Amino acid sequence: MKICRYEGRYNISGERVRRIRRENGISQEKLAIKLQLAGLNITQKTISRMETGKRIITDYELSFLADVLNVTVYDLLGIQERAEQMDL
């Protein structure tokens, strides 16, 4: 299976994860710890690679991220943003 890139990135959620994390004043290290406590074995380096688009974010990781960041998976995928753009 070939992994495709979208606009040079391996995911579309990383930038949103970074924005939400920063808005909440959470470091990458603290986010990694919160995810580990929630049951997802992930490191700060992995968070960095996700946020910069150098790593794929799997569906189950999106679920953990949404829970820990207190947002929906739709927020991380930008589904509402795209729906609003289409209404223009």
Side-chain angles (χ1 to χ4, degrees):
M1 178 175 97
K2 182 177 179 178
I3 299 173
C4 298
R5 293 175 129 191
Y6 176 76
E7 295 181 2
R9 300 174 60 87
Y10 285 111
N11 70 64
I12 61 171
S13 300
E15 292 173 338
R16 290 179 189 88
V17 169
R18 174 180 281 156
R19 179 181 46 79
I20 294 165
R21 176 183 61 76
R22 287 181 173 174
E23 286 173 357
N24 290 304
I26 302 171
S27 68
Q28 289 178 342
E29 184 67 31
K30 189 171 181 179
L31 178 58
I33 290 167
K34 287 181 174 219
L35 289 165
Q36 290 168 6
L37 291 172
L40 182 62
N41 189 16
I42 203 164
T43 65
Q44 176 274 325
K45 185 174 181 175
T46 304
I47 300 288
S48 175
R49 295 188 73 228
M50 287 176 170
E51 289 182 353
T52 58
K54 295 178 182 175
R55 182 185 181 279
I56 291 173
I57 302 175
T58 63
D59 52 358
Y60 68 89
E61 290 170 334
L62 272 176
S63 180
F64 275 97
L65 284 162
D67 287 343
V68 168
L69 293 171
N70 200 26
V71 297
T72 68
V73 171
Y74 296 118
D75 293 329
L76 294 179
L77 291 172
I79 290 175
Q80 184 63 34
E81 292 171 15
R82 284 193 293 264
E84 289 171 0
Q85 289 174 352
M86 294 181 85
D87 286 339
L88 296 178

